[in-house]
Structure formats: C-alpha cells, structure tokens
Amino acid sequence: MPSSRPRPPGRRERPGWRRRLQSLLSVHSLATQVFLLQAVVIILLVVAAAVALVLQARYDSYEDAHNRSLAAAEAFAYGPGTAAALKSPDPTAILQPAADKAARGAGVDFISALSTDGVRYTGPEPQLIGDRVEGDVSRAAAGEAFTETFEGEPHGGVRAVVPVLDGSRRVVGLVTAGIQVANVGELLDRQLPILLGSAAGALVLATGGAALVSRRLRRQTHGLGPAEMTRMYEHHDAVLHAVREGVLIVGGDGRLLLANDEARRLLDLPPDADRRPVSELRLGPGISRLLVSGKEVSDEVFLSGDRLLAVNTRPTAPYGGVTGLVASLRDTTELRALSGRAEVARERLTLLYEAGVRIGTTLDVRRTARELAEVAVPRFADFVSVELLDPVLRGDEPTGLGAMRRTALSGIRDDHPLQPVGDAIRINSAPMSTALASGRALLEPDLAASRTWGSEDPEGRRQALAYGIRSLITVPLRARGVVLGLVNYWRSEDAPRFDEDDTSFAEELAARAAVAIDNARRYTREHAMAVTLQRSLLPRDLPEQDALGVAWRYLPAQAGVGGDWFDVIPLPGFRVAVVVGDVVGHGMHAAATMGRLRTAVLNFSSLDLPPADLLARLDDLVLRIDADQPPGDSERAQVTGATCLYAVYDPVGGRCTIAHAGHLPPAVVDPEGRVVYPELPVSPPLGVGGHPFEETELDLAEGSRLVLFTDGLVEDRQRDIDEGLAMLRDALARPGLTPEETCVAVMSALLPDQPGDDIALLVGRTRLLDRSRTAQWDVPLDVSAVSRIRAEAGRKLADWGLEDSSFVTELVLSELLTNAIRYGMEPVRVRLLYGRTLVVEVSDGSSTSPHLQRAAATDEGGRGLFLVAQFSQRWGTRYVSPGKIIWAELVLGAELPAEPVMVFDEEPAW
C-alpha cells in the first residue's frame, strides 16, 4: 500500500527495491524463516565436518608418519654397504653423507645409523653424533624392527628403528628414521579451505533459495502482504453481495461453484444450488446449454421467466488455472423494450452489408449457396437450408419447376432432423409450393399451429417439433425473372418467432444471394463449354509407335480453362516427335488458340521439318494471327505469350533433337535415376518474330525418360519456379519407373490443391531399334548396282523372316534406287529398318524434290513413284544435310494389289 506520509517537495520516490529487501529480511516473512533454518543446519553440519576432519587428519598423519619412517629405515638398513660401513673403523665418515641423501630422498626428517647399544654414528645435527638415542632400542638390537611415537630432540614425531644384519644374519647395528607429525598434516591444510568454501557456497544457495521463495510468494499474491490479502478478500466478498450484476462460476464438470446474490435473484436459484449440476437448476434450455458448453459469448440475450438477460461468458482457465466458466448476467428487459427496434435495424443493415461481401466470393454454385446459409446463421436464423433446381446445379438455364435438391445447410447444431445436403426435395409440399407459385416469401410463425406445413410428411413434422424447431420463412430465389430454387430460414424455441419485419429482411437477403447464384450458374455453363472445347482439341489417345513408351496427364485450371496442350506425332523412319505448348491466359479464346497451334504443329510435322524450322513457321503463323486482329478489338487478346517445345527422337541412334520457343526445358532422367535439365539456347515466345530458333542434340541411352511439362506443374502462388523444378527433380530421381509410374509420382509430389493454371505432363521412355533389325548399303552411281543391292536386300529380308514381303520390298527399292542413281548425286545410300512396319530409305546428295507424274499409255517410263505410292502404306521425302531421303513404309506381309494399277500421264517425276 502507498505510504500516507507527505513527500518533501521536488523529491522523487525511490525505487521499491528497499521495501522488497526489508520485506525479505523481516523475520516475520516465510522466506526469512526458511533462510534462518537453513543457515543453522548448514553451520551445524560445517562444525561437525570440521571436527571429523581434524580427527581423521590427525589419525591419517600418524599412520602416514609410521609407514614412511619405517620404509625409509628399512631401505637404508638393507641398502648395499650399510652393514660393511657399520663394521668399518669410522662408520660416521662413510654413512653420514648417505644418510643425509637418503633422508632427503625419502621425505623424512632424519635417518641415523646407530650402534647396537643406541649410540649415534650419524645424525641430522653434528652435535648429536656420539650421543645415545633416547628410548629403548633393545628390541631392534634383538633383531625386531618397530616404530614408535616419541618426544625428543630435535623434534617430537614418529620414529622407526630397524636392525642391520650382516651376511650371517647377526645384528651389527641399527638404523632409525623419523618424521615430524607436523610435516604430515598438509592434508588438513588442503581440506579445510574446501570445507569452508563449501559452507560459504551452501549459505549463498540458501540465500538464493530464500529469495526465490520470496519472489514466488510475491508473484502468487501479486505483491500483497497478509493484511492486504485479508482486506482484498473482505472487499471482494462485499462486492459479490452488493453488486447489481449477477455473477456465476461453473466448474469444468458442469456444476455451479459460486453465485452471488444478484444471480440468485435473477435466476431464482434454490438455496442449495451450490455444487449442483447446472442442468438440474431449471435455468432454461438456452442458458443451461451455454453454461455447460463452455462457449465464449458477449451480451447474448436469453429469456428467463419474464426477464431478458444479457449474458457474457468467459473461460476461467487463462486466469485461474482451473477449467470452468464465469458468466455475468444483466437484466435488460426495460432497455430491450426501449432500444430493441433500433438495434434490430442496425444489425439487419450490418448483416446485409456482410452478406454482400461474403456471398458470391467464388463462381461456384454450391459454394455460393453455402455462403448464403452460413451468413444467416446464427444472427438471423438458427438453421438455413438452400434448395436449387437440378439444371441450376449443372449450369443450365432452368425452364420450369422440376427436380430440386438440397444444396446447402447450416445450423447452430449438427444433430438436427432436417434432410441432409444432396437429398431430393419435393417441391409440391407446402409451404414450398405456395411460395413458388406466388413468387413471394411465405411466413409460418408457429409451425406447431400450422395446418399445411408437414402435412405430407407427418413423421418429419413430429421430429422437427420435438427437436424444437418452431418458426419458418420460405423465400423463392429469383434472378432475371427466373426461379432458381428456395431458401428456408428456421428458428428454434430458444429464439423469438419470425414476424413480418423478418420476412422483408429474408426476401432482401435472398434477392442478393439469387444474383450471385445466377452469376455462378452462368459461369459454370461457360466453363463447361470451354472445358468441352478444350478436351475436344486435345488428343484423346496417343498413336502407337516404336520409339517411346509414353504416358501423360492433363489437368485444367480450377479457375478457368487454359491453353496448354501436348502431342505425340509419329515420323518416318520410326522417329517420333513430342511437343508441349502453353498459351498464356484462360477462357474460350485461349482454348481456341491452343487448337489452332496444335493443328498447325501437326501439319508442319507432316512436312518432316527440323524442330527449329518448324518453330520458325509456327512463329510466322502466330504473327499472321495477331495481324488479322482488327485494331481496338479488346475481346480478342493477341496470341503473343504462347510457348512451345518440340523434340524429335530417333530410335536408330538414340539421338534427340530439341528446339523451344520460350518454354521450360525438359527433364532428362537416365536409367540410373540422375536428373538433368539440359541447357537450351535462349528463345523468345511465339509471335515475337525476328529471332532465330536453335536446336540442341542429346544422346539418350535406352531406358532414359524424357519429361515435358508446362509451367503450371512447377509454379504457383505458394512456390516459385526454382523450388518447383527442385521438387520435380526429387520426384523423378527414382530409377526403373515406367512412364505411368513417373506420372503418378510427379502428380503426387507437385500437384497443388487448387491449380491456378493448366498442367500438362508428358513422359516418354526411350527405346532403341535393335541393330540386327537395320541394314545399310553405300551404292555407287551405276545402274548395274541396283540388282546387287536388291539381291542383298532380299537376303536380309529372308534373315528377318519376311520372305512374303520380298517382292514388294524389292520392287519399291528398285524404283527408288534407280531414280536416285539417274537423277541424284553422290553419296547414295540404302537403309532398311524393320520394326512395327518395314521402312525403305534411299538417300542421295541432291535436294531436288520428287513428285508423282502422269505417264501416257505409250510412255516407256515415268511410273516409278506412282508404283511406290501404290504399294506403300506411306511414302515421302525429308531433307537432310546434305541432300534428301526418299522413304517408303511397307506393311509387313504386303502383296501385289488384286486389281490393275492405274497410271497417269504428265511431266517427268524427277
């Protein structure tokens, strides 16, 4: 408590550390009493330890002195030359230096040589030589070594006497060694400081412990002393009895722990209410459920008898450490009667504003219906259900009143008897049919007294009334003059019944929600149309080919259809082209542009162009598409921003040629699981123009995986592109995965919960054409070589077991090779490839393009390419450096046609 004495003017109050120190040192405090008790115990323990240490040290000192003196005397007596020196005429001259040296080495005070009758030959002091030693040495003269404590010159201590024996085991002299007991007491000198230091440390710890105890007590009592604690209790007790606001404290087990006088009056509690369960006190279902639930509320109004009580509840755990609830009660009956209408109007305006913000946050019909149900609970209704017509859920325009389905349901509790979401709703039931027929809201203020509600389902009516549902407003959802569905607002017995003012507000809320639902319905229809268009433009199935084992995944964006696409295109010579592209943007325009670009790639691939040339032609096409757009046409965005990656893989040599236009590089995974992103030359997106495209060649081992993807797989709002590429690397770094398993692993690791962009993934596992299924010959520019090459080709076909195809193959080979020799340039080569089909390739150094001719009936030649076209499944030309390759693809087991071959007459073919 602050001091009441006046302070001198201009003098500031000193910090409170002096008061805390005085309180700590006061003998009346618990901390000081604990400290004094600990100090007395420590002092007694230190005194007892010191006495024991002194006694033990004295004992140990004498014991050590006996051992050391005896050992020194025995060592000198048994030393070589000691017995002979004692028999010499002058033992002192021989033994005195040795005795002094031995005494210093042994750590004793003296070592003396004596005659058998105790006369000193040597001594620590010269004046003692020749004197008889004090004490009885006859035991040693008789041959027994012994030790004794003595008091004499030069000092008292411990002495050992040991006989010196000659070779015949006869005593010829004595050796005595002694040490002062004071010199052995160093142990006590070392241990006493340690003991005293430990005692001081114990006192310091005791002081600290007392300070901690004092601090803990002050914290728990918030710095209050005993008098102040008593005074605080008296004040609180007076407040609990005198305050004009009810206070309840409920324990975690639902029992009433405390109720002040005002709470007992407001709730009409019985005298024995303490320690009884709240559910047994008949407080009303609303207040009882609130007190038992432990929910935190502010100014929640409940009806108790004829009073309206404003209830505030807070948990006690953050303040008292005990699980429970504190509730305060105020009688707001009169205030409610005066300000009820104004408050209701303000709450309704606030709720309408929140509804405009919270309803329609997404263009999803079901989500918008849920938002309507959630925004009205519990501030307007206890339960809200939304029923929509089936065409609305599909995004179609409703043409009439048909099947209706419960789309959303929200309530203050989950154990309600209402039909769950997804159930079909009968619209011929009243009052739904009445509301739909009139187009206006229908109010049922008292369902128990209603004669129409629930008449078609008596069991459902009984369950709802037994649950406590008492009032209903049904409002049609109308937008642009079309009925979309219904919304039902329900109130239970704990809330006031609906009235006419509530009906107007319910209609306003439903009208706002109906506009949002209709917008979502229209978006759903447009989105479905865009998805249908997009899927119709994407490949439904990939063609069969021998070069790559392929798997793919395509996932459209959740927000809208995008322009990602992919394709696998078989090329001549068992080669295959893989392509992936991305048109920036979403919607119908992006999907249509994607279809145009994919079709263009398919057409350009039929020309068998190199990847860089194909992208250059595609770039020109995009420039023309943008140039055709009328100025100021904002509804059609330009295509600029489209990217593409085109790769051609040749299974004969395992060579892959890649070119790209602003697209991410592919991932290449070798058979051991090592993942690399090859460095590709920088290229702009399609439609920029003026920049050349470059190619990159890779040698891929058999079993390698080539992974093409769009940026939607590795980049989104939660991660940047570098993090996405690292995650993709980790997902691919597993050897032995098939293309399908690779797709599963990649989508599991990188697929976001809500994709914001289209995702296209194409995985191809490389294969190599067996070298035993290829044959190649170099041909000179001599027509006579045609027969030799034809014969060798026939033998090779026989080795492959294709004798049935020999005639057609040799015919096609003869025609192509003859034309190459006649009209082409060196070098001329022939190659046969045996796979799913049989491919005949003839290359030469000329770039002249061959074409079909129309030969006259009287012409002798000019039918070669026509015959090739008739007997081949496909044929064509591709240009290489240098020259060209004429190829023909034959079906295995092909035979001559049954009908005559038609001929044409026109200019020469080559």
Side-chain angles (χ1 to χ4, degrees):
M1 299 295 289
S3 175
S4 59
R5 289 187 295 176
R7 300 187 182 96
R11 186 178 177 184
R12 299 180 61 185
E13 184 179 1
R14 303 282 297 184
W17 65 270
R18 289 186 174 180
R19 288 188 58 197
R20 290 196 296 270
L21 181 61
Q22 293 173 359
S23 176
L24 176 63
L25 298 179
S26 174
V27 296
H28 298 290
S29 67
L30 177 61
T32 304
Q33 295 173 6
V34 172
F35 169 70
L36 292 177
L37 177 61
Q38 291 177 341
V40 171
V41 172
I42 291 172
I43 292 173
L44 291 177
L45 291 176
V46 170
V47 171
V51 172
L53 179 61
V54 171
L55 296 177
Q56 182 65 34
R58 181 175 180 84
Y59 173 78
D60 292 342
S61 297
Y62 275 99
E63 188 69 21
D64 187 41
H66 280 278
N67 295 334
R68 289 170 62 181
S69 60
L70 180 60
E74 289 178 342
F76 191 80
Y78 300 152
T82 302
L86 290 172
K87 292 180 181 180
S88 67
D90 190 3
T92 301
I94 299 173
L95 296 177
Q96 182 65 40
D100 292 341
K101 184 177 181 181
R104 289 193 300 272
V108 297
D109 292 333
F110 66 90
I111 295 178
S112 299
L114 311 177
S115 64
T116 55
D117 55 356
V119 178
R120 290 189 178 94
Y121 291 140
T122 64
E125 298 179 7
Q127 63 270 21
L128 296 178
I129 297 175
D131 294 343
R132 179 181 296 275
V133 297
E134 298 179 359
D136 184 12
V137 296
S138 59
R139 294 165 56 194
E144 178 186 356
F146 66 92
T147 60
E148 62 180 352
T149 302
F150 72 95
E151 298 292 339
E153 295 296 337
H155 300 287
V158 176
R159 179 178 66 180
V161 183
V162 178
V164 180
L165 306 178
D166 59 4
S168 59
R169 308 297 296 173
R170 183 170 57 85
V171 178
V172 296
L174 306 175
V175 174
T176 178
I179 184 172
Q180 300 179 44
V181 176
N183 294 337
V184 192
E186 299 175 355
L187 178 62
L188 179 61
D189 297 337
R190 293 194 303 266
Q191 292 179 343
L192 279 177
I194 297 175
L195 178 63
L196 295 178
S198 301
L203 288 175
V204 171
L205 291 177
T207 304
L212 290 176
V213 171
S214 175
R215 184 178 179 183
R216 180 67 180 271
L217 290 175
R218 294 181 66 84
R219 185 187 302 116
Q220 291 183 347
T221 60
H222 301 283
L224 301 178
E228 294 169 328
M229 290 288 292
T230 302
R231 191 160 49 252
M232 181 185 69
Y233 175 79
E234 293 173 351
H235 291 172
H236 281 215
D237 188 70
V239 169
L240 287 175
H241 289 290
V243 71
R244 300 303 296 172
E245 184 170 333
V247 177
L248 295 174
I249 299 179
V250 180
D253 56 354
R255 294 180 179 272
L256 180 64
L257 301 180
L258 175 67
N260 69 344
D261 295 346
E262 183 66 9
R264 295 178 182 274
R265 184 185 69 84
L266 292 176
L267 299 175
D268 195 18
L269 295 177
D272 60 343
D274 293 343
R275 306 304 301 177
R276 289 178 58 183
V278 173
S279 57
E280 298 179 359
L281 299 179
R282 298 180 181 179
L283 305 180
I287 297 179
S288 297
R289 281 199 300 268
L290 176 63
L291 296 179
V292 174
S293 68
K295 184 171 65 174
E296 181 176 339
V297 299
S298 296
D299 291 332
E300 194 78 22
V301 178
F302 293 90
L303 181 63
S304 177
D306 56 351
R307 297 188 180 93
L308 287 176
L309 301 181
V311 182
N312 294 271
T313 59
R314 296 292 184 274
T316 61
Y319 309 100
V322 179
T323 303
L325 192 74
V326 175
S328 61
L329 313 171
R330 297 196 315 273
D331 189 354
T332 61
T333 305
E334 297 180 1
L335 180 64
R336 194 74 173 182
L338 296 175
S339 61
R341 291 185 176 274
E343 183 179 356
V344 169
R346 181 183 60 82
E347 290 181 354
R348 297 288 168 82
L349 289 176
T350 303
L351 185 56
L352 284 177
Y353 171 76
E354 292 184 5
V357 174
R358 294 174 56 184
I359 298 176
T361 58
T362 64
L363 292 174
D364 181 84
V365 174
R366 290 175 172 81
R367 176 66 181 274
T368 305
R370 287 197 302 270
E371 291 170 347
L372 168 60
E374 292 169 357
V375 78
V377 175
R379 296 166 61 181
F380 179 67
D382 294 334
F383 301 92
V384 175
S385 63
V386 180
E387 287 76 50
L388 297 179
L389 296 170
D390 282 348
V392 176
L393 295 175
R394 296 192 302 266
D396 298 333
E397 185 84 18
T399 57
L401 299 179
M404 187 176 293
R405 195 166 302 276
R406 177 149 293 171
T407 309
L409 178 61
S410 180
I412 58 174
R413 294 170 60 185
D414 297 331
D415 57 345
H416 53 77
L418 302 177
Q419 288 181 259
V421 173
D423 276 14
I425 303 299
R426 290 179 295 181
I427 62 174
N428 58 347
S429 60
M432 292 185 181
S433 58
T434 304
L436 290 173
S438 63
R440 301 292 303 274
L442 180 65
L443 170 64
E444 289 283 356
D446 188 0
L447 294 178
S450 175
R451 297 182 178 180
T452 57
W453 175 78
S455 58
E456 73 285 345
D457 185 11
E459 179 60 23
R461 171 191 174 98
R462 186 192 62 79
Q463 292 180 2
L465 294 177
Y467 183 78
I469 294 177
R470 289 292 181 267
S471 188
L472 167 66
I473 296 178
T474 298
V475 185
L477 291 171
R478 297 172 59 91
R480 299 181 295 108
V482 178
V483 175
L484 305 176
L486 287 169
V487 56
N488 296 309
Y489 303 94
W490 314 78
R491 281 184 182 176
S492 60
E493 59 186 0
D494 297 333
R497 297 173 181 175
F498 287 121
D499 54 21
E500 292 297 335
D501 292 339
D502 295 325
T503 304
S504 301
F505 176 78
E507 288 181 329
E508 177 68 21
L509 190 60
R512 298 194 178 197
V515 174
I517 292 175
D518 188 57
N519 291 336
R521 178 196 63 79
R522 297 172 66 184
Y523 170 79
T524 301
R525 181 184 59 184
E526 294 177 1
H527 181 73
M529 294 172 60
V531 170
T532 302
L533 172 63
Q534 183 188 45
R535 295 192 180 278
S536 66
L537 296 175
L538 288 172
R540 297 184 178 181
D541 197 6
L542 299 181
E544 295 183 356
Q545 37 79 33
D546 294 331
L548 293 174
V550 179
W552 59 274
R553 291 292 187 275
Y554 186 86
L555 186 67
Q558 208 172 51
V561 175
D564 292 9
W565 91 92
F566 65 93
D567 222 330
V568 177
I569 307 170
L571 298 177
F574 300 132
R575 296 172 302 132
V576 64
V578 288
V579 59
V580 64
D582 183 5
V583 176
V584 176
H586 296 86
M588 298 283 285
H589 177 70
T593 302
M594 175 268 291
R596 298 172 73 178
L597 294 182
R598 177 173 178 258
T599 303
V601 170
L602 289 171
N603 291 333
F604 292 150
S605 297
S606 65
L607 301 176
D608 209 349
L609 298 174
D613 294 346
L614 185 143
L615 290 181
R617 296 199 180 192
L618 194 63
D619 185 58
D620 292 338
L621 174 64
V622 172
L623 288 173
R624 289 197 299 271
I625 293 176
D626 288 342
D628 292 341
Q629 178 179 341
D633 188 357
S634 59
E635 294 184 1
R636 291 181 56 195
Q638 291 188 341
V639 186
T640 302
T643 64
C644 182
L645 186 143
Y646 187 84
V648 176
Y649 174 69
D650 187 355
V652 177
R655 177 65 58 89
C656 182
T657 305
I658 304 175
H660 78 109
H663 201 83
L664 293 172
V668 179
V669 188
D670 65 11
E672 285 73 28
R674 292 185 292 268
V675 183
V676 296
Y677 295 104
E679 294 185 4
L680 304 181
V682 178
S683 298
L686 298 173
V688 175
H691 298 273
F693 297 97
E694 301 181 40
E695 297 176 353
T696 300
E697 292 188 349
L698 304 175
D699 291 324
L700 303 181
E702 186 173 12
S704 300
R705 283 171 285 165
L706 186 64
V707 182
L708 284 67
F709 53 90
T710 56
D711 57 357
L713 179 67
V714 295
E715 185 179 18
D716 60 15
R717 296 178 180 178
Q718 282 73 36
R719 61 171 181 258
D720 57 21
I721 192 168
D722 292 334
E723 182 183 356
L725 291 175
M727 294 175 62
L728 177 60
R729 183 193 302 271
D730 295 339
L732 294 174
R734 293 172 55 190
L737 293 181
T738 64
E740 181 64 27
E741 292 171 344
T742 302
C743 289
V744 172
V746 170
M747 300 303 284
S748 298
L750 281 84
L751 183 63
D753 296 334
Q754 297 182 346
D757 194 5
D758 288 8
I759 295 175
L761 173 66
L762 183 63
V763 180
R765 186 172 184 177
T766 61
R767 303 168 183 157
L768 290 179
L769 188 63
D770 193 348
R771 291 187 178 275
S772 63
R773 292 195 168 200
T774 64
Q776 181 172 320
W777 298 275
D778 292 328
V779 183
L781 283 177
D782 186 359
V783 178
S784 62
V786 175
S787 60
R788 177 178 59 84
I789 298 301
R790 185 171 61 239
E792 293 183 5
R795 288 192 293 270
K796 179 57 69 173
L797 292 176
D799 294 340
W800 289 341
L802 300 178
E803 293 87 349
D804 295 341
S805 303
S806 295
F807 180 80
V808 174
T809 304
E810 293 177 9
L811 175 63
V812 171
L813 176 60
S814 296
E815 295 296 335
L816 295 180
L817 185 56
T818 301
N819 286 338
I821 293 175
R822 287 179 177 177
Y823 307 110
M825 299 173 56
E826 290 185 338
V828 178
R829 292 187 178 87
V830 173
R831 188 170 70 163
L832 295 181
L833 303 176
Y834 172 32
R836 190 183 302 271
T837 58
L838 183 63
V839 177
V840 179
E841 294 182 348
V842 177
S843 64
D844 67 271
S846 172
S847 60
T848 304
S849 177
H851 56 275
L852 287 173
Q853 72 168 3
R854 294 179 179 272
T858 58
D859 290 340
E860 296 182 0
R863 300 178 179 84
L865 285 182
F866 180 74
L867 292 175
V868 171
Q870 291 294 315
F871 291 117
S872 302
Q873 181 179 356
R874 295 189 305 162
W875 77 279
T877 305
R878 74 173 184 269
Y879 294 92
V880 295
S881 179
K884 63 181 181 298
I885 296 176
I886 310 297
W887 58 270
E889 186 175 310
L890 308 178
V891 179
L892 298 180
E895 300 178 354
L896 291 174
E899 299 180 358
V901 177
M902 295 179 60
V903 296
F904 304 91
D905 52 339
E906 208 176 52
E907 71 266 15
W910 227 294

